Amino acid sequence: MTPPLVLVAHGTRSARGVEMIAALAEALSAKVPRVHVSFVDVLGPSPSETLRDLGGEAAVVVPAFLASGYHVHTDVQREVEGFDVAVTRAMGPDPVLARVQHRRLREAGWRPGDAVVLAAAGSSDKRALADVRRAASMLADRVGSRVHIGYVATGEPRVADVVEKLRESGQRRVFVASYLLAHGLFQGRLHQAGADGVGEPLGVHPDVVDLVAERYRAGARELARARV
């Protein structure tokens, strides 16, 4: 039997953020037979509760995170312990996400030559920060120039400070590339950073849906190999 997909998100008090995860799961249901959503913080059900409800059935767990920090390496691993699962790579970083960010920037009015700041939520985990740097490098390959990094919640420098320094250095136009999944408090802060434009969150873009579906298929193959 084809294993179900358990999509694991962080959890948020933002209604729009919850709606986005639900919309992502709905879009995935057209590509994956069964999709379940769980959260590691703020909301429920937890991954372990979801897996328990599956009655011991093997499943593919896809972390819906843009960088692999504490939640991916610790929370998710703790939640799936003792269950028959394949845990895939997190969603990001990935060249697919950089491509979507590039499109979001163009939609916001960015043009070649304009400065770009990749805005991430931030983390105290060095592994997650390394992933953000990789994401910035991937986006730089798309825009053809250096991409600066700013954080909106945890870590330094803050997005607004990076925008200000770019202005002081002579950059006439500065745009923020959102490295966030959904609208909410963090995305709202980006519009207060003083940039000329802000890209929309990654959201339920078809390429994002395809990326998660590919993560799922890789996990399903891993489960199948384990049974040979």
Side-chain angles (χ1 to χ4, degrees):
M1 183 178 292
T2 304
L5 162 62
V6 177
L7 187 68
V8 181
H10 180 277
T12 175
R13 292 181 178 83
S14 166
R16 295 185 73 180
V18 174
E19 289 167 1
M20 179 271 162
I21 295 299
L24 178 58
E26 182 177 358
L28 283 165
S29 66
K31 300 175 179 292
V32 178
R34 289 171 292 159
V35 181
H36 303 267
V37 175
S38 62
F39 303 93
V40 295
D41 199 4
V42 183
L43 302 172
S46 67
S48 59
E49 290 171 334
T50 299
L51 292 168
R52 197 173 300 116
D53 288 344
L54 289 173
E57 182 180 3
V60 176
V61 175
V62 179
F65 290 85
L66 302 179
S68 295
Y70 182 86
H71 290 305
V72 173
H73 291 291
T74 301
D75 286 341
V76 172
Q77 295 301 324
R78 181 186 64 247
E79 287 284 333
V80 304
E81 187 174 352
F83 294 99
D84 186 8
V85 300
V87 180
T88 75
R89 291 171 49 203
M91 288 175 59
D94 194 280
V96 169
L97 301 182
R99 185 168 69 238
V100 175
Q101 282 185 292
H102 188 203
R103 291 173 182 168
R104 300 293 197 215
L105 279 172
R106 294 201 307 267
E107 291 166 358
W110 173 89
R111 299 191 299 265
D114 296 337
V116 176
V117 180
L118 180 144
S123 173
S124 58
D125 191 302
K126 292 181 179 179
R127 295 165 295 187
L129 298 179
D131 278 353
V132 172
R133 290 193 294 271
R134 288 179 58 208
S137 178
M138 292 173 184
L139 181 57
D141 289 340
R142 301 291 307 186
V143 302
S145 61
R146 178 185 175 186
V147 170
H148 305 264
I149 297 173
Y151 298 102
V152 66
T154 303
E156 299 288 340
R158 296 291 180 158
V159 175
D161 294 336
V162 178
V163 172
E164 183 178 2
K165 286 184 178 180
L166 287 168
R167 299 272 194 218
E168 292 173 351
S169 72
Q171 291 286 346
R172 294 185 58 231
R173 284 165 47 93
V174 181
F175 283 76
V176 171
S178 175
Y179 196 54
L180 302 171
L181 272 180
H183 284 281
L185 176 63
F186 292 168
Q187 180 69 19
R189 289 177 181 173
L190 299 185
H191 289 276
Q192 302 169 4
D196 293 280
V198 177
E200 289 288 295
L202 292 163
V204 192
H205 189 282
D207 289 352
V208 174
V209 177
D210 288 342
L211 175 64
V212 179
E214 180 51 41
R215 292 281 192 272
Y216 164 81
R217 287 189 285 269
R221 290 192 294 268
E222 181 181 334
L223 280 177
R225 286 193 299 269
R227 283 156 173 71
V228 174

